[in-house]
Amino acid sequence: SYREGVWAAEGNGKVYCLTSGGIVVLNKSDNSVDYLSKTNGLSNIEPVVTGFNSFNNKLFVAYANSDIDIVESDNSIVNMVELKQKFVMGSKTINQVYFINQNAYVATALGILVIDMDKYVVKETYVIGDSGTTLNVRAITSDNSYLYAATDSGVYQASLSSINLADYASWSKMPGLPNGLYNCIVQQFGKVYTNYSKWLKEGVENKDSVFVYHAGVWSDAGINNKTIYSITAGDNK
C-alpha cells in the first residue's frame, strides 16, 4: 500500500514520500506521480528514513532492517548492505541522516555511520559513547565548525577539524542541558535547536522542552508543555 506516508524529502524538483509499499515520487513541474518499489529497483520493503542530498542530487533511503539504498537522479539505485550485514549485539536501527557535501552522516542505534555517496563506501564509524561504548544517536546537525549529535544520553559535540572523529575522546557531552534523551537537533542562522524528550524516555506526553544553543550557551527556547516529534530547518524558518 502507498496510502500511508511515514517520511518525506524534497529535491531536484521532486517530493519523495516513503510509505510501507515503497516511495511515491511527486514531480512538482506537472504534478505527475511515479512509484519506486522492490519490483522496479528498491532493494527492500519498509523504507523508514530518507533525505535528499542537494550536493550531488541523490536520495538516501534506509529501511527497517538497516539496509540502505542511494537513488540517483535517473532513478538508478545503488544498494549498500554494510550495516545490514554487520553482526552486532543489539539494535542497528537507522534514525536520521544529515549531509555535508557528498557525505551522509547516518544517525543509528550504534553511533554515526559516514557514507561517501559518490564512491558508495562507508568511510568511518563513530562510536561516541563514554569510554567508546555504543550510544543511540537520534539525529545529527552541524554549524560548519562542529558536529552535534542528539542521543539517548544528552547532546554530544565534536570539532569537524578533529583528526580522528572515530575516537570517542573527540566527542564530549555538552553541559547546560537536563540529563535525558534528545530526539532531534537542527541548525539555523548559527543557532542549534534540540528537543529534550520526556515522551520517548519516560512515556510522558506534553512535557518536552526545546533548547537553543547560541554563543556557547544553551537556553530554554520557550517551547514547552508539548510533545515534539521532529524539528526541521528550511525556508529561513
Side-chain angles (χ1 to χ4, degrees), residues 111-197:
I112 299 171
L113 202 69
V114 185
I115 296 175
D116 187 319
M117 294 179 67
D118 286 342
K119 296 181 179 179
Y120 311 106
V121 295
V122 176
K123 295 175 62 176
E124 292 182 296
T125 301
Y126 305 153
V127 180
I128 69 174
D130 296 340
S131 301
T133 55
T134 59
L135 181 59
N136 187 15
V137 177
R138 301 272 180 170
I140 303 162
T141 194
S142 174
D143 59 5
N144 297 321
S145 296
Y146 293 90
L147 281 173
Y148 301 88
T151 80
D152 282 8
S153 183
V155 174
Y156 283 70
Q157 178 191 53
S159 172
L160 282 170
S161 63
S162 171
I163 60 173
N164 186 13
L165 285 171
D167 181 0
Y168 73 90
S170 297
W171 294 80
S172 60
K173 186 176 179 178
M174 300 185 74
L177 290 168
N179 289 324
L181 185 155
Y182 291 79
N183 65 326
C184 44
I185 193 163
V186 300
Q187 185 275 146
Q188 184 76 303
F189 303 129
K191 298 179 181 180
V192 176
Y193 298 83
T194 191
N195 180 59
Y196 171 50
S197 179

Side-chain angles (χ1 to χ4, degrees), residues 1-213:
S1 173
Y2 291 96
R3 294 182 61 185
E4 184 175 354
V6 297
W7 202 300
E10 181 180 2
N12 203 28
K14 300 176 181 179
V15 176
Y16 302 86
C17 180
L18 301 193
T19 75
S20 58
I23 302 176
V24 180
V25 185
L26 171 68
N27 299 288
K28 295 175 66 177
S29 61
D30 58 5
N31 286 334
S32 63
V33 174
D34 297 316
Y35 298 90
L36 293 174
S37 69
K38 195 172 181 181
T39 61
N40 65 356
L42 294 183
S43 300
N44 229 299
I45 59 174
E46 288 189 88
V48 292
V49 171
T50 191
F52 189 85
N53 188 343
S54 58
F55 180 83
N56 51 20
N57 290 329
K58 297 180 182 181
L59 184 73
F60 175 97
V61 180
Y63 299 89
N65 67 350
S66 303
D67 206 0
I68 294 171
D69 278 341
I70 296 174
V71 184
E72 307 281 349
S73 57
D74 62 357
N75 287 344
S76 61
I77 297 169
V78 176
N79 182 226
M80 301 194 65
V81 298
E82 286 86 344
L83 183 60
K84 175 186 174 184
Q85 294 180 348
K86 186 179 181 69
F87 179 77
V88 297
M89 298 296 291
S91 173
K92 298 185 288 184
T93 299
I94 295 174
N95 297 311
Q96 184 249 15
V97 62
Y98 179 78
F99 305 108
I100 300 178
N101 297 330
Q102 80 273 19
N103 295 321
Y105 290 76
V106 187
T108 80
L110 299 175
I112 299 171
L113 202 69
V114 185
I115 296 175
D116 187 319
M117 294 179 67
D118 286 342
K119 296 181 179 179
Y120 311 106
V121 295
V122 176
K123 295 175 62 176
E124 292 182 296
T125 301
Y126 305 153
V127 180
I128 69 174
D130 296 340
S131 301
T133 55
T134 59
L135 181 59
N136 187 15
V137 177
R138 301 272 180 170
I140 303 162
T141 194
S142 174
D143 59 5
N144 297 321
S145 296
Y146 293 90
L147 281 173
Y148 301 88
T151 80
D152 282 8
S153 183
V155 174
Y156 283 70
Q157 178 191 53
S159 172
L160 282 170
S161 63
S162 171
I163 60 173
N164 186 13
L165 285 171
D167 181 0
Y168 73 90
S170 297
W171 294 80
S172 60
K173 186 176 179 178
M174 300 185 74
L177 290 168
N179 289 324
L181 185 155
Y182 291 79
N183 65 326
C184 44
I185 193 163
V186 300
Q187 185 275 146
Q188 184 76 303
F189 303 129
K191 298 179 181 180
V192 176
Y193 298 83
T194 191
N195 180 59
Y196 171 50
S197 179
K198 277 198 171 183
W199 164 64
L200 279 176
K201 183 66 174 178
E202 303 172 13
V204 180
E205 295 280 350
N206 302 323
K207 292 295 183 181
D208 291 1
S209 298
V210 176
F211 291 87
V212 57
Y213 184 70

